[in-house]
Amino acid sequence: MRLYSEYQAMANENRIFANWTYSKIQQMETKFKELEARYMGLSIIERRGINRANFPFIRLQKDGMTIYKRPEDLSAEERKNLAC
């Protein structure tokens, strides 16, 4: 529960003033993967009472590099490529 609370606080920081660094996003992705693994380890009945964590960034490959963007920051072309 504590990990989920920390993750949610991190993910829901003020979107206007938050300065997301690549390393901070990667730390958040690591926490997300840990939460996801814990969630998948629960029974279906236990999952009903749990809020599943969401990763607030989209991972894109651009010129051989991995970049992260918020869904609302995607261009029309990126949305089309992702079938959003």
Side-chain angles (χ1 to χ4, degrees), residues 29-59:
E29 187 175 27
T30 301
K31 284 185 179 187
F32 170 75
K33 287 179 180 178
E34 185 179 343
L35 283 168
E36 192 69 7
R38 288 183 183 185
Y39 180 82
M40 295 312 245
L42 298 173
S43 71
I44 293 173
I45 294 169
E46 291 172 319
R47 288 182 194 178
R48 290 181 187 167
I50 305 284
N51 290 329
R52 191 172 183 178
N54 294 317
F55 189 63
F57 291 94
I58 306 289
R59 186 182 339 158

Side-chain angles (χ1 to χ4, degrees), residues 9-25:
M10 214 175 169
N12 294 316
E13 277 185 338
N14 188 329
R15 292 181 181 214
I16 296 170
F17 299 109
N19 291 321
W20 294 94
T21 62
Y22 187 76
S23 63
K24 190 172 181 179
I25 293 170

